Amino acid sequence: FMRELRSLHVPEQSAGGRSETRRRVETILARESLGAEAVARRLGLSVATLRRRLGDEGVSFREITTEMRKTLVTTLIESGQP
């Protein structure tokens, strides 16, 4: 019951401006490339709940993965790696 109650609260922003759900998704995706279904399973959520929470935080799963890919590409280009 308490977990459900906590999930109703507006997500807090971390020091870097990232919400808790987004931060957890980014942590998982930094380790391996997974789809929304697999990430939701790892977080113990349904895909619908994951998408809803991210939507409440103003971001989509696709936006997170796109942003992370852009960051990776930029890092590789700047370091001179093919």
Side-chain angles (χ1 to χ4, degrees):
F1 173 75
M2 289 304 291
R3 185 183 328 156
E4 291 175 17
L5 185 60
R6 280 190 294 258
S7 72
L8 296 176
H9 289 99
V10 176
E12 293 184 27
Q13 297 292 317
S14 67
R18 298 280 196 252
S19 64
E20 180 65 17
T21 303
R22 180 178 179 147
R23 185 189 59 73
R24 292 175 67 198
V25 168
E26 289 173 343
T27 299
I28 291 169
L29 292 176
R31 293 185 191 132
E32 54 191 308
S33 180
L34 299 172
E37 294 81 12
V39 171
R41 248 190 328 274
R42 295 250 174 119
L43 294 174
L45 304 171
S46 69
V47 176
T49 299
L50 174 62
R51 292 187 192 282
R52 186 184 73 250
R53 286 187 183 176
L54 291 173
D56 290 347
E57 297 169 7
V59 68
S60 70
F61 187 83
R62 179 169 288 183
E63 289 170 329
I64 292 172
T65 57
T66 299
E67 182 181 311
M68 291 181 75
R69 286 184 185 120
K70 286 179 181 178
T71 300
L72 176 60
V73 168
T74 301
T75 302
L76 291 174
I77 289 171
E78 289 174 353
S79 69
Q81 294 182 13

